[in-house]
Amino acid sequence: MQRTKYTMRSHSGIRKLPFRIIILSLCVLSAVALTGCTLSHDRGSAAQSDDTRLPDTDDTAADATDKPDTADPVTANHAVTSITDASLLAQREKTMFDGDLALAAANDRDFPIANTFGELSVPTYFTKVNDTYFLVDCYHNQILYHDNTEDPVWQWNVLPGELAMPHTIASDGTVYLVDDTENHRVVVYERYEGHFIITQTFEHIGIRPHYSQYNEADQTFYVWSSMTGEMYLFKRADEDDAAYHPVYLAEIRKINKLDGVYVRSFTIMEDEIYIVSGNSTIIRAKLADFTIIEEYPVPAEMAGMIQISRLGSMFYITISTDACGNQDYATIIRTEDLRDLVSGGYEDIYEWFIGGGTPYYISEVDGSYYMTEHRIPGHSLWRFEAEGESIRNITEIY
C-alpha cells in the first residue's frame, strides 16, 4: 500500500485535546514535586508497549557490583569525563573463539537459524549492509536478516546468540556490532561464507546500551548507554593479515548531566553530535570531545524523544512519550530550527503514517528512508522519500 501527500499543514505545537493538556500540566507539576517522572512499562503486552522500561533496582545493583573498577583517572572537560586507560577498557572484552572463522563456520550446526515468528514485535531498526537487509525485532529478542524486503518476515533468518531486546546493529562492512540492551553488553559478529560468527563480546557497557552508529569519518563505532550518559567508542584493529578482525574499546566518554536520565539515541552530523531529549533538552556537542555547544529546550509533551534526523532541509524527530511516559503523545514532528520547538514552531506529520502508534528509529538505505513503528498491528516498517520540504512515496513494507 502506498500513500502520497502533497501539502503540509503548520502546527501550533499543541496537538492534543484541552483535557490532555490539563492532565499533562498536572503531571509536570507532580513531576517537579517528586523530582522527576517515573516511566512505567507493561511487559505483559509487548505489542502495545514501548521500550521505556527502566532497569530493575536489583539488576542495576548487580550490574554496578560486577563492573570492573573504572574509578581510575578521568579527565574533566566541560562536564564531560573520559576514560582512555587501555588496561581498564580491555577488562570488558571477551574473545569468543580461537580466531579461525573457517573452522567456526564449519562447526556452525545451527546455520541457518529460521525466524519462527509470523509478525514483528516492537521492531526498532532497519538497515542494509552490503547486499543484506537487517531488521531488529526487539521484543522477540532477535535480529533478522534477508536478501530482500518482499518476502514475509517468517522467511528471514536470525543472527545467532542469546540476545535480550537488542535495539540496533552497526557495521563498517566487515564487522557488525549489536547493542544487546538487556544484557548490558555489545556483541561483535563477523561474516564468513554466509555464516555470522560471534567473535567478541564486551560486558558492562553501561546500563541498557540502546543505540549504535558507525562513523566512517573517524572509523569509530559509537554505542550509547541509555541510562548512564555514557558513549562507548569502539575501533577495529588495523590487522589486515589477522585470521579475523578484532574490535577494541578505545574510550568511554560521559556527559555527566545525563547520568540517570533515559536517553534513547544520538545522531552524528559531520563533526557534531546531537543527543535527543531525555531531560527536556536536545544537546548539540562537538563530536571530538562532547563539549556541549548548545542546548535546545523542548515542551513537556515531546520530552520522551526517540531520535532526531536531518532529512533535506528539516530536522525530523520521532517521539515516544511525554515527560511522564505517556505514549498517547507518540508522534513524528519536523522543524527547520530546533530553537523553535519550545515555542511550538514545528509540524506534526504523523497522520501521513496513519498515526496512533509509536514511531521509532529512521534510517537511510539506498536513497530511501525507513522507519520502524510499533503498537499498530500490521504497521511495523515504512519506506518513504524526502527531499527539501517534500515527503513522498510513503509505503508500508511490513
Side-chain angles (χ1 to χ4, degrees):
M1 180 170 62
Q2 180 169 310
R3 294 176 175 79
T4 304
K5 305 282 186 178
Y6 298 96
T7 59
M8 297 294 297
R9 62 179 180 84
S10 296
H11 198 281
S12 66
I14 302 176
R15 72 183 201 89
K16 298 295 176 182
L17 296 175
F19 80 92
R20 281 190 175 170
I21 296 300
I22 294 172
I23 292 173
L24 177 62
S25 300
L26 292 174
C27 178
V28 173
L29 290 174
S30 300
V32 172
L34 296 173
T35 67
C37 293
T38 300
L39 301 183
S40 62
H41 181 73
D42 180 9
R43 292 295 297 277
S45 180
Q48 299 300 317
S49 58
D50 188 12
D51 63 331
T52 53
R53 183 173 71 87
L54 302 186
D56 296 332
T57 303
D58 291 343
D59 292 343
T60 305
D63 183 71
T65 56
D66 291 344
K67 285 183 180 179
D69 181 13
T70 57
D72 283 9
V74 294
T75 354
N77 182 7
H78 300 286
V80 176
T81 57
S82 175
I83 299 174
T84 57
D85 186 313
S87 62
L88 286 176
L89 300 174
Q91 294 178 32
R92 300 169 187 261
E93 189 268 336
K94 294 182 179 179
T95 301
M96 302 304 294
F97 79 131
D98 62 6
D100 190 332
L101 289 172
L103 181 60
N107 292 330
D108 186 9
R109 306 302 181 192
D110 295 328
F111 174 81
I113 303 172
N115 178 28
T116 59
F117 297 99
E119 294 183 348
L120 302 166
S121 182
V122 188
T124 51
Y125 189 70
F126 176 84
T127 191
K128 183 183 181 183
V129 181
N130 299 324
D131 59 353
T132 302
Y133 297 95
F134 295 85
L135 182 53
V136 181
D137 192 10
C138 180
Y139 272 33
H140 282 149
N141 303 308
Q142 61 184 12
I143 296 181
L144 309 177
Y145 67 94
H146 199 45
D147 61 4
N148 69 76
T149 58
E150 286 75 38
D151 291 337
V153 293
W154 58 266
Q155 292 185 15
W156 290 48
N157 291 325
V158 181
L159 289 184
E162 298 297 323
L163 304 178
M165 302 179 95
H167 279 72
T168 61
I169 180 172
S171 177
D172 63 356
T174 299
V175 296
Y176 303 75
L177 268 66
V178 169
D179 44 67
D180 189 6
T181 302
E182 298 298 336
N183 285 326
H184 315 294
R185 67 174 184 165
V186 164
V187 180
V188 182
Y189 296 83
E190 193 160 341
R191 193 170 191 175
Y192 184 85
E193 294 185 353
H195 296 253
F196 284 93
I197 309 299
I198 297 176
T199 58
Q200 298 164 279
T201 64
F202 290 84
E203 311 294 328
H204 309 297
I205 304 302
I207 297 175
R208 303 186 75 236
H210 210 294
Y211 192 82
S212 305
Q213 183 177 349
Y214 177 70
N215 186 42
E216 179 65 37
D218 58 8
Q219 298 183 328
T220 301
F221 290 91
Y222 291 79
V223 180
W224 179 253
S225 165
S226 67
M227 285 302 303
T228 61
E230 292 173 313
M231 188 75 80
Y232 289 74
L233 282 65
F234 296 87
K235 288 183 174 289
R236 181 156 59 87
D238 186 14
E239 300 179 14
D240 292 337
D241 57 345
Y244 74 110
H245 300 86
V247 169
Y248 65 94
L249 178 58
E251 183 181 356
I252 302 172
R253 199 176 294 169
K254 180 173 184 175
I255 298 178
N256 297 328
K257 68 185 300 179
L258 294 181
D259 190 5
V261 178
Y262 184 30
V263 177
R264 294 175 176 86
S265 77
F266 61 91
T267 303
I268 296 172
M269 300 185 193
E270 297 181 347
D271 59 351
E272 296 180 345
I273 184 168
Y274 290 71
I275 300 173
V276 295
S277 169
N279 59 348
S280 296
T281 64
I282 297 170
I283 292 175
R284 178 167 67 97
K286 295 180 181 178
L287 182 61
D289 58 9
F290 283 17
T291 299
I292 295 174
I293 301 170
E294 190 171 3
E295 295 190 56
Y296 309 95
V298 302
E301 62 263 29
M302 63 175 63
M305 292 181 172
I306 296 171
Q307 183 192 38
I308 181 170
S309 305
R310 188 65 184 259
L311 279 58
S313 60
M314 309 284 283
F315 291 99
Y316 288 71
I317 300 172
T318 50
I319 298 168
S320 175
T321 71
D322 66 359
C324 295
N326 184 351
Q327 288 190 74
D328 288 343
Y329 291 86
T331 191
I332 311 168
I333 64 170
R334 71 177 192 172
T335 184
E336 291 183 346
D337 192 334
L338 296 176
R339 299 177 186 88
D340 294 338
L341 291 174
V342 71
S343 60
Y346 61 86
E347 296 171 312
D348 189 309
I349 63 170
Y350 199 14
E351 62 184 18
W352 287 36
F353 299 84
I354 295 182
T358 300
Y360 221 78
Y361 293 138
I362 295 174
S363 54
E364 183 178 4
V365 174
D366 293 339
S368 295
Y369 294 95
Y370 290 79
M371 183 185 74
T372 53
E373 180 183 44
H374 59 270
R375 290 203 301 152
I376 302 181
H379 301 287
S380 297
L381 181 66
W382 295 87
R383 181 178 63 221
F384 64 98
E385 297 173 5
E387 183 176 353
E389 297 184 7
S390 172
I391 300 177
R392 58 180 183 269
N393 296 333
I394 299 175
T395 307
E396 299 164 347
I397 303 301
Y398 290 114

